[in-house]
Amino acid sequence: MRPAVADIVALFQAHFPGEPRVFRAPGRVNIIGEHTDNYDGYVFPIAVNMATTAAITPRQDRLIQVWSENMQELATLPLDGLERRGHWSDYVAGVAAMLEAEGITLPGADVCVASDVPIGGGLSSSAALEVSTAIALLSLVDHSLDGVALAKLGRRAENEFVGMNCGIMDQFVAVHAERGKGLLLDCRTLDYELVPLPAGEAAVVVCNTMVKHELGASEYNARRADTLAGTELLKAIYPEIRALRDVSSGMLEQSAHRLPEHIRRRCRHVITENQRVLDGVAALKEGRLEAFGDLMNASHESLRTDYEVSCKELDIMVEIARSLPGVLGARMTGGGFGGCTVNLVRPDRVTAFREEIAHRYHQATGLKPDIFVTEPMEGAREVV
Ligand code: GLA
């Protein structure tokens, strides 16, 4: 749930005293550029119209008390003994631990969080929680972080505290997104460009398979290990490369026999996906939406067969989408193994698309999918 400011204040005051300040960070959907951010590659996500809201007041002691409206649970996090517990509050504890590791001494805090980003749905509910609580905690101290530092801090919380070796995409877009635009990010330099999406010509429709990506973290880390092993083998042949971003398809082909077959496929996904992002954004700028959609389709195939992070339900959802009129492109989005698909659909076909895909997916799987249309939204901020 994404409460209005008055509502989150009321929720806060049901648990804590005082008048809180309120901060919000969006979830994201990645349009193209999947599983590239860890390899210095390119991504092209947008922020969605679902977000995590955090209301906060300082405390006199060194305790962070967090009430999660979604979990209906209070977590108590001692700033002097923060540790990972395998619990939803690890994201908040991780952010607090990283802020303190940066030399920013925090006071205790009372925090109330509420989110309408589906949890485990591949829309980065975790980055929305990290970024919203990071800016909320920072509001209590006389210290600010720029957007890049904030995104890096969220990623560190996830890598070093939660134990998920994610890249920077989710936190970066949660901070830097702008309304109406996709964010082309170079994950090596962190240079980015905001590229308008032509809302009048194509709508972004997100379909939740309702399958949670529980395998996500372990398989995510396993794919990353494969791909980094591939990079090391390639470095022995091409000493100049630093990451897969520096390897062309031709270079990979020439050295294919030096890599185990599954590692070659992992690397091929990353290398071809980077090119699809660049080609896709060029097509978008020239108004070639069909070409962009074709690249989204190719991205799904590569994730399914080379990177192997799709699943039966994602494949069914994508296949149904592609059979419907007005669909320019359809692919899984996010880490995979469940979660959502992203579809680019002609605006006059959206209503029929929603009905038809919900019906056919239910027939095929017995599951009732959540389907929503989103415009690209703005990044994290204080809401008043
Ligand atoms: C997860 C990670 C991101 C990114 C995607 C796959 O969402 O958090 O950093 O790697 O998977 O593109």
Side-chain angles (χ1 to χ4, degrees):
M1 66 184 308
R2 178 170 24 153
V5 175
D7 297 335
I8 184 103
V9 169
L11 283 176
F12 178 92
Q13 289 173 340
H15 300 277
F16 306 113
E19 276 299 322
R21 285 172 73 181
V22 177
F23 300 84
R24 185 170 283 163
R28 64 100 187 90
V29 66
N30 191 16
I31 307 288
I32 195 161
E34 213 67 82
H35 291 285
T36 50
D37 59 352
N38 264 314
Y39 317 110
D40 282 3
Y42 300 98
V43 293
F44 189 60
I46 62 171
V48 293
N49 55 8
M50 292 178 285
T52 297
T53 308
I56 193 164
T57 56
R59 291 171 59 93
Q60 299 308 314
D61 55 17
R62 292 263 297 160
L63 288 182
I64 298 185
Q65 300 251 51
V66 200
W67 169 260
S68 163
E69 188 57 21
N70 297 71
M71 301 297 173
Q72 289 290 299
E73 193 183 17
L74 181 74
T76 300
L77 313 170
L79 278 168
D80 295 313
L82 292 170
E83 49 187 40
R84 170 174 153 192
R85 297 191 296 158
H87 190 250
W88 60 265
S89 62
D90 286 353
Y91 296 102
V92 181
V95 160
M98 294 308 139
L99 285 168
E100 293 237 319
E102 294 280 312
I104 302 171
T105 304
L106 297 171
D110 289 331
V111 188
C112 171
V113 290
S115 185
D116 62 356
V117 186
I119 293 164
L123 302 182
S124 210
S125 53
S126 52
L129 181 55
E130 287 151 11
V131 172
S132 61
T133 50
I135 57 176
L137 288 168
L138 277 166
S139 75
L140 303 181
V141 292
D142 189 19
H143 200 112
S144 62
L145 290 181
D146 66 25
V148 170
L150 194 57
K152 284 184 172 168
L153 183 115
R155 180 190 183 189
R156 270 188 74 197
E158 203 145 344
N159 289 174
E160 294 173 28
F161 196 90
V162 178
M164 162 81 174
N165 293 325
C166 66
I168 190 110
M169 167 170 70
D170 304 344
Q171 294 81 6
F172 201 94
V173 68
V175 172
H176 293 91
E178 275 185 24
R179 232 171 228 263
K181 293 173 183 159
L183 186 147
L184 170 63
L185 174 64
D186 176 335
C187 299
R188 169 170 282 169
T189 61
L190 300 185
D191 289 338
Y192 66 99
E193 185 185 347
L194 290 152
V195 182
L197 289 189
E201 288 166 65
V204 177
V205 187
V206 179
C207 302
N208 191 341
T209 61
M210 311 310 276
V211 177
K212 290 209 173 180
H213 59 185
E214 262 138 23
L215 270 177
S218 57
E219 291 295 320
Y220 185 97
N221 290 345
R223 292 299 176 283
R224 186 166 177 270
D226 282 351
T227 313
L228 293 178
T231 310
E232 288 310 308
L233 291 168
L234 287 164
K235 271 187 192 164
I237 309 165
Y238 306 108
E240 69 281 11
I241 67 169
R242 281 164 53 201
L244 281 183
R245 143 81 168 272
D246 305 311
V247 182
S248 66
S249 292
M251 286 160 81
L252 183 69
E253 279 313 309
Q254 275 172 23
S255 42
H257 58 287
R258 308 275 285 270
L259 305 184
E261 197 268 340
H262 75 287
I263 290 195
R264 174 155 41 95
R265 282 189 287 117
R266 307 289 186 253
C267 294
R268 185 168 61 192
H269 164 71
V270 176
I271 293 166
T272 57
E273 184 76 352
N274 274 330
Q275 194 58 47
R276 282 188 285 273
V277 179
L278 298 177
D279 293 347
V281 171
L284 197 62
K285 287 181 178 169
E286 291 162 12
R288 292 184 290 113
L289 283 176
E290 280 90 359
F292 187 88
D294 291 346
L295 290 162
M296 289 174 72
N297 293 340
S299 166
H300 185 82
E301 291 319 304
S302 177
L303 288 157
R304 187 172 70 81
T305 58
D306 275 355
Y307 210 68
E308 292 184 286
V309 289
S310 187
C311 66
K312 188 179 78 195
E313 292 83 0
L314 284 165
D315 293 341
I316 291 173
M317 190 75 98
V318 161
E319 202 176 307
I320 299 170
R322 288 189 194 153
S323 73
L324 297 175
V327 174
L328 293 157
R331 57 180 286 275
M332 58 155 276
T333 186
F337 299 101
C340 294
T341 67
V342 59
N343 306 267
L344 218 53
V345 183
R346 292 286 185 199
D348 58 342
R349 297 288 189 167
V350 167
T351 308
F353 173 84
R354 290 179 76 141
E355 281 169 19
E356 225 12 67
I357 200 157
H359 174 66
R360 292 200 202 175
Y361 182 75
H362 183 236
Q363 272 190 330
T365 62
L367 298 166
K368 286 211 156 102
D370 284 342
I371 307 212
F372 50 89
V373 181
T374 185
E375 306 237 329
M377 300 301 283
E378 65 273 349
R381 61 200 56 217
E382 181 165 11
V383 280
V384 282

